[in-house]
Amino acid sequence: GISTDGIVDALDFQLYQESSPVAVSSSSTDGMQRGEVCVRTIEPFEGYYGDPAATAAALTPNGLYRTGDLGEVDTATGALRIVGRLSSKIKLSNGKFVCLDSIEAALLGRCPSITAICCHGDVPRSAVVAIVTLAPTADDGARITRDSALLEIVTAAATQNMPPHEVPCGVVVAREFDVDSGHATASQKLCRSQIVADYSYDIERCLRVARGQSPAD
């Protein structure tokens, strides 16, 4: 492994993106950089026996091991936080890639009215929908609506320099994501597939409205 008792045994780490020829990451106006966590460990990775293709895929061009974890680094302090897994990355029909974990991490905590968020990528329509739970009222006591939640998301996405294809086109308001509903595990990890299945009707209506169609058609 690359950690012992929660301490990373790494000589070096960087954040990596496929679109860049070296290990770099995206940046945003909040001073955070994001990408795949790649490390050079104390015990170096020597590759997979008899499988040079898998070995090449496991390393960045400059020789760091690709963990498959998505992380963000505070450029002021250098602190690294793991925010998700690349396994939530999907390719839309327009050829663009989106990582749902990364979108959720970029938005949660920056949208005051949203207490939890689960993103769904609709591949055929190249769109992302945010399924959210909301606080009872806004900080100023005003009623929170689906439209106000979407405005918070769009505003937060702008501060993160989020590419347009990653910005949710609409919001579905959900009940609390909990274990009893099957929407979360005991450790509070969201069960994306179950959430999407249970809110499929609302997601479809949301996508139709976002495309200027009648939700009832």
Side-chain angles (χ1 to χ4, degrees):
I2 63 169
S3 66
T4 304
D5 297 329
I7 299 174
V8 177
D9 300 328
L11 299 175
D12 184 26
F13 81 87
Q14 291 177 305
L15 301 183
Y16 177 76
Q17 291 186 333
E18 290 281 4
S19 59
S20 302
V22 294
V24 298
S25 63
S26 60
S27 61
S28 62
T29 57
D30 66 349
M32 305 298 288
Q33 292 183 317
R34 298 180 182 86
E36 181 183 4
V37 179
C38 302
V39 298
R40 181 174 289 111
T41 59
I42 295 171
E43 296 183 4
F45 173 71
E46 296 180 354
Y48 295 104
Y49 178 74
D51 196 340
T55 298
L59 299 171
T60 65
N62 62 345
L64 274 69
Y65 179 73
R66 302 179 63 170
T67 66
D69 289 322
L70 292 165
E72 63 179 17
V73 171
D74 187 323
T75 55
T77 65
L80 169 67
R81 184 170 74 97
I82 304 299
V83 299
R85 290 286 297 172
L86 276 179
S87 57
S88 70
K89 186 176 182 180
I90 60 174
K91 185 178 182 179
L92 303 174
S93 63
N94 62 5
K96 302 288 188 179
F97 286 91
V98 295
C99 182
L100 303 176
D101 278 351
S102 181
I103 296 172
E104 291 160 0
L107 297 176
L108 191 61
R110 298 178 176 92
C111 300
S113 300
I114 295 174
T115 56
I117 180 169
C118 174
C119 287
H120 166 65
D122 185 279
V123 173
R125 284 174 281 199
S126 298
V128 175
V129 172
I131 309 160
V132 304
T133 61
L134 301 177
T137 58
D139 291 340
D140 60 3
R143 178 173 173 267
I144 301 170
T145 66
R146 182 175 54 217
D147 289 342
S148 64
L150 180 59
L151 178 60
E152 286 187 2
I153 285 175
V154 172
T155 301
T159 67
Q160 303 298 297
N161 291 337
M162 191 177 290
H165 66 275
E166 294 184 353
V167 181
C169 66
V171 166
V172 170
V173 177
R175 297 177 296 276
E176 182 180 0
F177 300 140
D178 56 24
V179 176
D180 291 340
S181 65
H183 294 163
T185 66
S187 60
Q188 294 306 301
K189 286 187 176 181
L190 297 184
C191 301
R192 191 188 313 279
S193 60
Q194 188 62 52
I195 293 171
V196 170
D198 289 348
Y199 287 96
S200 59
Y201 175 78
D202 302 278
I203 291 171
E204 177 62 24
R205 286 174 59 89
C206 180
L207 286 165
R208 292 185 67 84
V209 170
R211 293 168 66 90
Q213 299 172 326
S214 167
D217 288 348

